[in-house]
């Protein structure tokens, strides 16, 4: 657990946290959308451009070697951070792209690309793809598209009233027709941490591939993807204190080597003639074109920062913050929270509806007090519909969030309904 | 007055509660309606707010009736209420003038002068223009009525 002094020291590493908004010190409770960056991440990008900028994996000059070192040491850092091998980490521009690379890679295989090695990925009519009702659109729409492209059926695991996956019909929904089970590790709206082990076990029984959206878990919890035994996973740099423009696709090595690439072109081939090309093994086969090298350097620094802080301590700190937010929000009259209680396995991402006041208006009043929260559907419209809502307000935390942040937020929240004359 | 108070002027909060024109829609009901009828559904993709606005012009008197239904923030609901009042009081031409003035006002970044003669209660939305994230909320129903009216006019032409 991080002491208050340690959290204060961490906050000093994030220059933006010193700024004011509308005359009040910033309270940043929108880390679920994007996290703030410590100075070391900002410096790592600056340092790359100032001293080592060059093309990677091509050219033999000294700068090219240094840039390639920075690029590949970022990969090693991220691989170590999530329990993966370095050949299992593919750079993408964000997690959305990573999920699309898997879904569209399977579509390519279904269309006959990838040769005999890719036959195992074939999906078609009579097969099914299973997602959950709590997915971010990034882990829903690519599977809708894959279903349309292949004729497979898209099914989903529903939600319980208290924000968990309803797994009573797991064996019926994930059945022998299921080729893919795609689900989020932690809900970006409800905060629920899903039972990965149980879901993976069922997928294994029926021979389905598992695809884990780890965007909301990797920044907040110790995550070992090999131990979780998922086939693919995706997460984004900017939610884990790193830069925008860099995401990660994890895939088990033997799968990445045979999944047909979607983005093709330079830097991902061995030999090319006018009719055809041979592709490199993973990860390069998925990294066509110029890569986000400075962003990789920044992400490497972010991973270093989180590792040094210690993910167990990060998780314990954020669990405490989750408790303050959940219990505090539940005490505000006229506010209906969605998602599990503080006692459940959850992250510090807490969404709620203020009766009689639209989320946009809630966010506006909070902003006036210098408090940044997310309002809207948080890229999860089906989830909101499940709870009879169009939009919610969401407070979400990171390693730098303090109990004082929560208290200021809760005080301002209590003033929202009186401001609008709703009671 | 703070920016927040300018944004949420009492007249806006009142319209957000007493929503003028927020009534059952005709579309798809089979109820008899004027041939000069148009309906437009608009969505704000950032928050999922949506509104359907219907415009019905009486072929005899030329009177405009506006009906709308939707869900959204106080700014979008109040805006729909205000525009219904303006459109029904001043007819399609008055609405067109107000729509142009409202559009300009919303994109004035807080610098615009609201002409109350043209805009009526919509002048109270001046404070919204200081909040770029909220301009779409204010404009959503106006876009819908503009579109619905264009349909009503086109339909009227077909039947003329």
């Amino acid at each position: 657990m991080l002491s208050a002094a340690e959290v204060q020291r961490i906050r000093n590493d994030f220059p933006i946290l010193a700024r004011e908004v509308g005359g009040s010190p910033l309270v940043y409770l929108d880390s679920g959308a994007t996290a703030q960056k410590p100075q070391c991440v900002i410096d790592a990008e600056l340092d790359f451009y100032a001293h080592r900028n060059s093309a990677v994996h091509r050219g033999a000059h000294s700068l090219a070697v240094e840039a390639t070192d920075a690029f590949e040491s970022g990969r090693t850092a991220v691989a170590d951070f999530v329990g993966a091998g370095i050949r299992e980490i593919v750079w993408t521009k964000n997690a959305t792209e990573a999920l699309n690379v898997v879904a569209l890679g399977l579509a390519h295989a279904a269309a006959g690309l990838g040769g005999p090695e890719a036959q195992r990925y074939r999906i078609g009519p009579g097969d099914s793809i299973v997602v959950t009702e709590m997915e971010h659109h990034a882990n829903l729409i690519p599977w809708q598209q894959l279903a349309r492209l292949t004729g497979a059926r898209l099914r989903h695991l529903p939600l319980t009233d208290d924000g968990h996956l309803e797994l009573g019909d797991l064996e019926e929904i994930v059945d022998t027709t299921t080729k893919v089970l795609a689900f989020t590790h932690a809900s970006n709206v409800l905060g629920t941490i899903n039972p990965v082990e149980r879901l993976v076990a069922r997928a294994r029984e029926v021979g389905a591939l598992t695809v884990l959206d780890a965007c909301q878990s990797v920044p907040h919890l110790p995550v070992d993807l090999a131990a979780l035994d998922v086939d693919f996973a995706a997460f984004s740099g900017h939610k884990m204190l790193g830069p925008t423009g860099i995401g990660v696709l994890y895939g088990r090595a033997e799968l990445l080597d045979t999944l047909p690439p979607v983005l093709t072109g330079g830097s991902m081939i061995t030999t090319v003639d006018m009719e055809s090309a041979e592709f490199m093994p993973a990860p390069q086969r998925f990294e066509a074109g110029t890569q986000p090298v400075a962003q990789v350097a920044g992400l490497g620094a972010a991973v270093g920062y989180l590792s040094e802080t210690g993910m167990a301590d990060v998780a314990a700190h954020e669990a405490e913050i989750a408790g303050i937010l959940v219990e505090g929000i539940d005490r505000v009259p006229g506010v209906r929270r969605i998602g599990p209680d503080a006692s459940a396995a959850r992250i510090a991402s807490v969404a709620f509806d203020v009766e009689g006041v639209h989320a946009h208006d809630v966010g506006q009043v909070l902003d006036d007090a210098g408090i940044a929260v997310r309002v809207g559907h948080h890229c999860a419209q089906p989830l909101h519909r499940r709870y009879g809502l169009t939009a919610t307000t969401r407070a979400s935390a990171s390693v730098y969030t303090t109990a004082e942040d929560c208290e200021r937020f809760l005080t301002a929240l209590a003033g929202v309904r009186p401001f609008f004359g709703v009671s | 007055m703070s920016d927040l108070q300018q944004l949420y002027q009492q007249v806006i909060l009142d319209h957000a509660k007493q929503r003028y024109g927020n009534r059952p829609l005709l579309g798809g009901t089979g109820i008899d309606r004027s041939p000069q009828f148009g309906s437009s559904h608009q969505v704000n993709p950032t928050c999922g707010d949506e509104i359907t606005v219907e415009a019905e012009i009486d072929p005899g008197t030329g009177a405009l009736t506006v009906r709308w239904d939707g869900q959204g923030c106080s700014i979008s609901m109040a805006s729909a209420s205000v525009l219904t009042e303006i459109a029904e009081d001043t007819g399609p031409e008055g609405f067109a003038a107000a729509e142009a003035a409202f559009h300009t006002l919303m994109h004035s970044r807080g610098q615009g002068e609201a002409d109350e003669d043209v805009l009526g209660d919509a002048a109270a939305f001046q404070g919204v223009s200081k909040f770029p994230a909220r301009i779409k909320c204010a404009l959503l129903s106006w876009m819908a009525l503009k579109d619905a009216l264009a349909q009503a006019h086109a339909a009227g032409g077909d039947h003329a």
Side-chain angles (χ1 to χ4, degrees):
Chain A
M1 178 70 96
L2 301 168
S3 69
E6 284 169 310
V7 174
Q8 191 51 54
R9 199 163 59 240
I10 286 169
R11 289 178 67 82
N12 292 339
D13 294 330
F14 292 75
I16 205 168
L17 296 180
R19 72 160 280 180
E20 294 191 341
V21 170
S24 304
L26 169 66
V27 170
Y28 188 74
L29 289 173
D30 198 17
S31 297
T34 198
Q36 299 301 347
K37 321 305 175 197
Q39 190 64 48
C40 65
V41 169
I42 300 167
D43 288 344
E45 278 207 62
L46 180 72
D47 174 71
F48 178 79
Y49 282 128
H51 300 115
R52 282 178 288 171
N53 180 51
S54 182
V56 300
H57 288 305
R58 64 196 83 169
H61 54 75
S62 298
L63 284 184
V65 172
E66 287 185 29
T68 304
D69 276 352
F71 187 64
E72 291 304 328
S73 66
R75 195 188 312 270
T76 303
V78 169
D80 290 348
F81 189 66
V82 295
I86 52 171
R87 294 187 53 244
E88 298 178 319
I89 298 295
V90 173
W91 302 125
T92 58
K93 78 166 183 275
N94 48 36
T96 299
E97 182 181 294
L99 292 162
N100 275 273
V101 163
V102 179
L104 294 174
L106 297 177
H108 276 33
L113 295 183
E117 297 85 9
Q119 285 296 311
R120 64 194 290 191
Y121 301 117
R122 283 220 163 181
I123 293 181
D127 295 329
S128 68
I129 301 159
V130 179
V131 296
T132 84
E133 201 174 11
M134 69 164 71
E135 295 312 307
H136 187 286
H137 296 162
N139 200 30
L140 170 61
I141 302 168
W143 306 112
Q144 293 176 349
Q145 295 289 89
L146 179 61
R148 292 221 167 84
L149 283 165
T150 60
R153 177 182 177 205
L154 183 66
R155 307 187 69 186
H156 69 264
L157 297 165
L159 290 171
T160 63
D161 289 342
D162 65 349
H164 289 97
L165 290 179
E166 169 57 66
L167 296 178
D169 292 330
L170 176 64
E171 277 71 23
E172 190 272 315
I173 295 169
V174 178
D175 63 13
T176 53
T177 70
T178 305
K179 297 295 183 192
V180 177
L181 173 59
F183 61 98
T184 192
H185 195 174
S187 165
N188 68 314
V189 179
L190 305 167
T192 319
I193 297 173
N194 285 322
V196 178
E197 197 178 337
R198 182 163 175 206
L199 292 164
V200 168
R202 178 57 186 162
R204 289 266 175 271
E205 279 173 9
V206 298
L209 290 169
T210 48
V211 182
L212 186 73
D213 175 353
C215 287
Q216 298 290 347
S217 57
V218 167
H220 305 296
L221 311 167
V223 172
D224 184 328
L225 292 172
L228 290 176
D229 199 27
V230 292
D231 293 313
F232 295 99
F235 51 99
S236 51
H238 72 97
K239 290 190 201 294
M240 52 190 291
L241 316 184
T244 54
I246 182 73
V248 178
L249 168 63
Y250 161 85
R252 289 198 294 113
E254 70 271 26
L255 297 175
L256 285 182
D257 278 340
T258 49
L259 183 72
V262 173
L263 295 169
T264 55
S267 306
M268 51 80 71
I269 49 78
T270 51
T271 54
V272 179
D273 61 32
M274 285 314 294
E275 281 72 43
S276 63
E278 298 288 327
F279 304 144
M280 291 178 76
Q284 275 76 27
R285 68 200 259 111
F286 296 101
E287 294 176 359
T290 298
Q291 293 294 300
V293 190
Q295 287 81 351
V296 168
L299 181 55
V303 160
Y305 187 90
L306 285 170
S307 298
E308 211 168 285
T309 307
M311 286 310 291
D313 282 346
V314 170
H317 172 67
E318 293 185 22
E320 188 187 11
I321 295 294
I324 295 171
L325 288 173
V326 165
E327 286 162 14
I329 289 167
D330 285 349
R331 279 198 297 270
V332 179
V335 173
R336 172 191 165 210
R337 194 174 52 75
I338 54 172
D341 290 338
S343 59
R346 62 167 301 140
I347 59 168
S349 181
V350 188
F352 55 88
D353 176 51
V354 179
E355 285 167 34
V357 185
H358 189 275
H360 257 182
D361 298 319
V362 176
Q364 197 78 59
V365 172
L366 296 179
D367 180 63
D368 193 59
I371 299 159
V373 294
R374 175 84 183 261
V375 297
H377 51 60
H378 322 307
C379 299
Q381 288 184 10
L383 181 156
H384 279 80
R385 208 166 289 127
R386 162 65 177 80
Y387 295 106
L389 299 166
T390 307
T392 54
T393 306
R394 179 187 71 183
S396 57
S398 183
V399 60
Y400 43 70
T401 307
T402 62
E404 292 73 37
D405 287 338
C406 300
E407 290 313 318
R408 270 189 56 202
F409 156 73
L410 291 167
T411 301
L413 178 61
V416 168
R417 293 178 89 237
F419 178 88
F420 289 102
V422 178
S423 57
Chain B
M1 230 183 346
S2 73
D3 282 356
L4 193 69
Q5 286 165 330
Q6 277 185 40
L7 177 67
Y8 292 116
Q9 294 196 29
Q10 194 57 45
V11 62
I12 293 181
L13 296 181
D14 289 346
H15 270 286
K17 279 187 195 149
Q18 305 294 330
R19 302 171 178 180
Y20 195 61
N22 186 185
R23 49 196 157 196
L25 301 172
L26 292 186
T29 60
I31 295 172
D32 271 356
R33 62 190 193 213
S34 161
Q36 286 180 263
F37 177 85
S39 173
S40 179
H41 178 70
Q42 299 287 334
V43 176
N44 184 349
T46 59
C47 56
D49 288 354
E50 54 188 317
I51 191 163
T52 301
V53 177
E54 295 180 346
E56 185 183 32
I57 298 171
D58 185 312
T61 65
L64 170 63
T65 302
V66 176
R67 297 175 182 83
W68 62 269
D69 194 21
Q71 49 186 342
C73 64
S74 59
I75 301 298
S76 69
M77 295 295 98
S79 187
S81 172
V82 165
L83 84 77
T84 303
E85 221 169 43
I86 293 171
E88 293 196 345
D89 284 354
T90 64
E93 283 168 22
F95 168 73
E99 197 275 330
F102 192 69
H103 199 270
T104 305
L105 183 67
M106 284 303 99
H107 289 99
S108 69
R109 295 194 156 266
Q111 305 302 310
E113 289 285 333
D115 182 346
E116 289 195 30
D117 291 341
V118 178
L119 286 172
D121 279 356
F125 286 75
Q126 188 169 9
V128 176
S129 68
K130 284 185 185 168
F131 296 89
R134 306 303 298 277
I135 293 169
K136 182 81 188 276
C137 312
L139 287 175
L140 198 65
S141 56
W142 294 70
M143 289 161 53
L145 181 56
K146 195 179 177 183
D147 181 33
L149 270 173
Q151 294 173 32
H153 286 308
D158 291 344
H159 288 79

